[in-house]
Amino acid sequence: MNVETVRLMMNMFDRDNDGTISFNEFIGLWNYIEKWKACFQTYDLDGSGTIDTMELQKALRGFGYNLSEQIVSLIVTKYDVCGRGDISFDNFVQSCVTVQTLTDAFRRIDVAGTGVVTMTYEQVRCKLRLKNDV
């Protein structure tokens, strides 16, 4: 896995925030990775070992995220390190967790549940800073 995905998962499972993963935290992380692996294999429809834009869109819809084809293409472009139009397992996990994190942050701001928020420039900068710390 790439360094960013490992950092992301370490932050998620370091429950006591001591900068390390205890044995029990590791077990939780291992189970989490195994679930993602099964999910990845479910949506890797052509068995290529990578997820393309169409497969990612199906996966995200399966998770309840109805994103446009244009947004999904942008996600693939961001996480496609080889420039082939698809993403590897670790980048799939990282992209899905990022979508979840951003959606959760959006929902906290969208208190009316309308799907539309108005933010100041400073709020956007703060949210981006927090996202980069996740």
Side-chain angles (χ1 to χ4, degrees), residues 96-108:
C96 291
V97 170
T98 299
V99 167
Q100 178 184 3
T101 302
L102 293 173
T103 300
D104 291 346
F106 182 86
R107 287 180 179 152
R108 283 192 298 274

Side-chain angles (χ1 to χ4, degrees), residues 22-38:
S22 70
F23 182 72
N24 288 333
E25 290 168 334
F26 177 77
I27 290 171
L29 175 59
W30 182 263
N31 291 333
Y32 184 76
I33 291 170
E34 287 299 311
K35 287 178 185 175
W36 274 112
K37 187 176 174 185

Side-chain angles (χ1 to χ4, degrees), residues 53 56-57 60 67-77:
T53 302
L56 181 60
Q57 187 155 28
L60 291 170
L67 302 176
S68 71
E69 190 174 319
Q70 181 181 10
I71 295 296
V72 176
S73 290
L74 285 171
I75 293 169
V76 170
T77 299

Side-chain angles (χ1 to χ4, degrees), residues 6-100:
V6 171
R7 186 181 69 83
L8 180 69
M9 286 199 238
M10 290 282 291
N11 287 339
M12 289 173 61
F13 284 88
D14 180 14
R15 305 276 188 231
D16 55 8
N17 295 314
D18 67 353
T20 64
I21 298 291
S22 70
F23 182 72
N24 288 333
E25 290 168 334
F26 177 77
I27 290 171
L29 175 59
W30 182 263
N31 291 333
Y32 184 76
I33 291 170
E34 287 299 311
K35 287 178 185 175
W36 274 112
K37 187 176 174 185
C39 177
F40 181 84
Q41 291 169 339
T42 298
Y43 289 103
D44 179 16
L45 302 175
D46 61 3
S48 65
T50 59
I51 297 285
D52 63 24
T53 302
M54 182 191 72
E55 293 166 332
L56 181 60
Q57 187 155 28
K58 285 183 182 183
L60 291 170
R61 282 197 177 138
F63 304 151
Y65 301 109
N66 191 20
L67 302 176
S68 71
E69 190 174 319
Q70 181 181 10
I71 295 296
V72 176
S73 290
L74 285 171
I75 293 169
V76 170
T77 299
K78 176 175 175 40
Y79 292 97
D80 176 13
V81 295
C82 297
R84 296 184 315 222
D86 54 23
I87 55 178
S88 62
F89 170 70
D90 60 326
N91 288 324
F92 170 74
V93 173
Q94 187 179 351
S95 65
C96 291
V97 170
T98 299
V99 167
Q100 178 184 3

